[in-house]
Amino acid sequence: ISGTNAEVMPAQWEFQVGPTEGIDMGDDLWVARYLLERVAEDFGVVVSFDPKPMKGDWNGAGAHCNYSTKAMREKGGMEHIEKAIDKLSKHHIRHIKEYDPNEGKDNERRLTGCHETSSIHDFSSGVANRGCSIRIPREVSAQGYGYLEDRRPSSNCDPYSVTMVIVKTTCLED
């Protein structure tokens, strides 16, 4: 666990896992989820990983994925980030189906185009834009290298599926 913070929805908190490399991310997230459930049980607290556990005019819960390759993190990396985003744009539906365990049905309630989300139906990207599918952090854009943030995975995602589809699309061109 590398960080925690309160969120918009009543009683909503988030935690960050990482930085971590490759498939280890999945192991780290599953262990973190287990620990959260176990500690919550001791205190009589209910945990939900549902992307929109309460109807209302507020944000849902995602599992944003910060992603980079070595080339993205080196000088001139912005070119590689932009190429990856282009590849991701061509496989939006495939990613949506992998980003929640019900092939996008859970995420439909969260990815509405409101509350700092993009529409589940459209792909978008931008610098420092919290309302798009793929966000390039402002500091990454300014320095010209770093990482991208895929804001589409749902809070109840299978992290191995997320990793698989991102790598297949951006590295293996599959």
Side-chain angles (χ1 to χ4, degrees), residues 3-174:
T4 63
N5 56 276
E7 277 295 332
V8 178
M9 186 174 55
Q12 180 185 14
W13 283 79
E14 81 172 33
F15 63 92
Q16 296 85 39
V17 175
T20 187
E21 292 185 23
I23 205 68
D24 287 345
M25 180 275 304
D27 298 341
D28 292 347
L29 183 55
W30 277 115
V31 169
R33 286 173 172 171
Y34 168 77
L35 292 172
L36 176 62
E37 290 272 8
R38 189 61 194 92
V39 170
E41 182 181 338
D42 285 348
F43 289 92
V45 174
V46 175
V47 173
S48 173
F49 296 110
D50 188 281
K52 193 82 172 191
M54 295 173 55
K55 290 183 180 183
D57 189 22
W58 45 60
N59 302 27
H64 302 171
C65 179
N66 294 342
Y67 169 75
S68 66
T69 62
K70 185 177 181 203
M72 291 177 188
R73 295 187 302 271
E74 295 174 342
K75 189 172 181 158
M78 188 56 71
E79 177 184 344
H80 298 280
I81 291 169
E82 290 169 353
K83 284 181 182 177
I85 291 171
D86 183 60
K87 291 174 184 179
L88 291 165
S89 75
K90 295 173 182 167
H91 298 281
H92 177 66
I93 300 301
R94 179 173 77 173
H95 283 253
I96 290 297
K97 287 182 176 184
E98 291 290 343
Y99 285 176
D100 90 39
N102 291 303
E103 296 189 338
K105 295 296 181 197
D106 292 342
N107 236 351
E108 275 182 330
R109 293 176 283 124
R110 180 178 77 92
L111 296 178
T112 62
C114 300
H115 307 105
E116 299 181 325
T117 69
S118 60
S119 168
I120 196 167
H121 305 292
D122 303 309
F123 181 88
S124 58
S125 64
V127 174
N129 182 348
R130 297 172 63 84
C132 61
S133 307
I134 305 292
R135 181 177 76 94
I136 300 170
R138 188 178 315 280
E139 64 274 10
V140 170
S141 177
Q143 67 189 14
Y145 59 91
Y147 65 96
L148 60 85
E149 176 190 20
D150 193 333
R151 299 176 58 81
R152 299 171 295 172
S154 65
S155 51
N156 62 347
C157 71
D158 175 346
Y160 303 109
S161 294
V162 172
T163 301
M164 175 201 66
V165 74
I166 290 175
V167 170
K168 274 182 148 181
T169 300
T170 62
C171 297
L172 304 177
E173 301 188 34
D174 183 11

